[in-house]
Amino acid sequence: MIVLDPHTASAYVGIRSLFYRIASVFGQGVLVVVAGLLEKRLGSVPAAWTWTLVLSAAILGIVALYHSFILPRGESTPPKERDAKAIFADFGRTFATFFQKRQVWMAIVFMLLYRLPEALSIKMLSPMMLDPMDRGGLGLSTEAVGLVYGTVGVIALIIGGILGGLAGARWGLKKCLWPMALSLALPCGVYVFLAAAQPSSTAVISACVAFDQFGYGFGFTAYMLYMMYFSRGEFTTAHYSLCTAFMALSMMIPGLFAGFLQESLGYLGFFILVMACCLATVAVTFIIKVDPEYGKASKEK
């Protein structure tokens, strides 16, 4: 957002959203595999997860050190010395100018509801795969869930995320908005099939997860681009951070109710409800306004 123009940023936003999603899949896929392997070796679930979390902390420390040297900083002016009153005044202006933006409430509704189907479904995917068939699940082992979700899913996500970024840079956010919204929401239907059919074939389950993750990688690009688009102007990075706060809220609130809904409806009823929530994605995509040229390459030579 600081060092790239909108067109170049559009091309790379797919990569950014890709790694955002990989972080989630890594936690729910790769680390689950590690925990499963340690559980067999150590013979203790608490010990297995203790060492898995120690590994996670070590990875975070190494990545933080790497970022401190590698992340681009762009051109910046030396910070001015200001007293506490001026700092708090700027802090207040940051919030005030955010809520003074045009169509701010439509934007907030979009940020809260665009990912509603995914926000509900993601909490129940691993439990459904791990639960035995007599409880409506697929009866997969811990390692199999990690393989399906953490390997096959990540590969499909990579492809979808990269193609989403390239599409946004070529045609702009406006033209890509509807295809991306539908590709994010509708593939959740594969989980209705999995809950109803309960296939025992890992290949079939992997294909369904790959289809969903590809659609998510492609469709999530529109969400990231819209947040960048809405954050333009004064306090760009601060306003973008507020947008990411709404993004986190959009995942947290539905997640609070996902378990209760699944226990009440069963896996099949739950994922049918998830598909009904696709209407929310369609509705909020319809109400927002986007500059048709945003994200496209400039025609000036």
Side-chain angles (χ1 to χ4, degrees):
M1 292 175 64
I2 297 174
V3 302
L4 300 179
D5 60 85
H7 169 67
T8 310
S10 297
Y12 282 98
V13 76
I15 305 296
R16 188 259 186 241
S17 63
L18 162 68
F19 280 95
Y20 173 87
R21 182 63 169 176
I22 285 178
S24 176
V25 173
F26 183 83
Q28 299 181 60
V30 177
L31 292 181
V32 172
V33 174
V34 173
L37 295 174
L38 288 175
E39 180 184 336
K40 287 185 175 180
R41 180 176 292 272
L42 301 175
S44 169
V45 174
W49 278 104
T50 297
W51 283 107
T52 300
L53 294 175
V54 168
L55 174 64
S56 302
I59 292 172
L60 285 173
I62 292 170
V63 172
L65 182 63
Y66 170 82
H67 284 164
S68 67
F69 293 102
I70 297 301
L71 285 181
R73 290 173 173 80
E75 297 181 4
S76 60
T77 57
K80 298 179 181 179
E81 292 187 6
R82 294 176 296 174
D83 57 21
K85 183 178 180 180
I87 293 173
F88 279 106
D90 282 348
F91 187 76
R93 284 186 61 222
T94 299
F95 280 92
T97 53
F98 180 85
F99 289 100
Q100 288 169 0
K101 285 177 174 284
R102 294 181 59 188
Q103 300 182 337
V104 61
W105 296 111
M106 288 185 180
I108 291 174
V109 170
F110 175 83
M111 287 182 271
L112 289 177
L113 297 181
Y114 179 77
R115 300 169 68 197
L116 181 59
E118 187 71 20
L120 284 171
S121 65
I122 193 173
K123 297 297 184 181
M124 290 293 107
L125 296 186
S126 291
M128 181 181 71
M129 292 181 187
L130 289 168
D131 273 351
M133 289 193 172
D134 58 2
R135 295 181 57 186
L138 302 179
L140 297 181
S141 66
T142 303
E143 297 94 314
V145 172
L147 176 65
V148 170
Y149 202 56
T151 302
V152 176
V154 166
I155 293 172
L157 181 68
I158 290 172
I159 298 172
I162 292 175
L163 290 179
L166 295 176
R170 180 176 177 85
W171 292 294
L173 174 58
K174 179 73 173 180
K175 283 190 175 180
C176 292
L177 188 57
W178 275 106
M180 288 181 175
L182 295 177
S183 73
L184 180 138
L186 297 182
C188 292
V190 298
Y191 299 116
V192 176
F193 164 74
L194 290 177
Q198 293 183 286
S200 58
S201 170
T202 304
V204 172
I205 298 171
S206 297
C208 290
V209 171
F211 181 67
D212 173 63
Q213 292 298 293
F214 175 85
Y216 184 91
F218 188 78
F220 188 52
T221 305
Y223 191 84
M224 304 300 299
L225 282 174
Y226 181 76
M227 290 198 301
M228 293 169 57
Y229 171 76
F230 185 75
S231 301
R232 296 175 303 165
E234 191 179 15
F235 303 118
T236 299
T237 53
H239 286 173
Y240 186 80
S241 69
L242 287 172
C243 290
T244 60
F246 284 111
M247 177 177 71
L249 193 63
S250 74
M251 297 297 288
M252 183 183 72
I253 294 177
L256 294 174
F257 301 98
F260 170 77
L261 291 171
Q262 186 278 322
E263 288 183 353
S264 301
L265 302 173
Y267 283 113
L268 180 58
F270 174 79
F271 285 110
I272 290 174
L273 175 63
V274 168
M275 289 306 300
C277 290
C278 291
L279 294 174
T281 303
V282 172
V284 296
T285 303
F286 182 77
I287 66 173
I288 62 169
K289 304 291 189 295
V290 177
D291 182 353
E293 299 302 314
Y294 182 77
K296 291 183 180 178
S298 174
K299 296 181 180 179
E300 297 179 4
K301 300 278 184 171

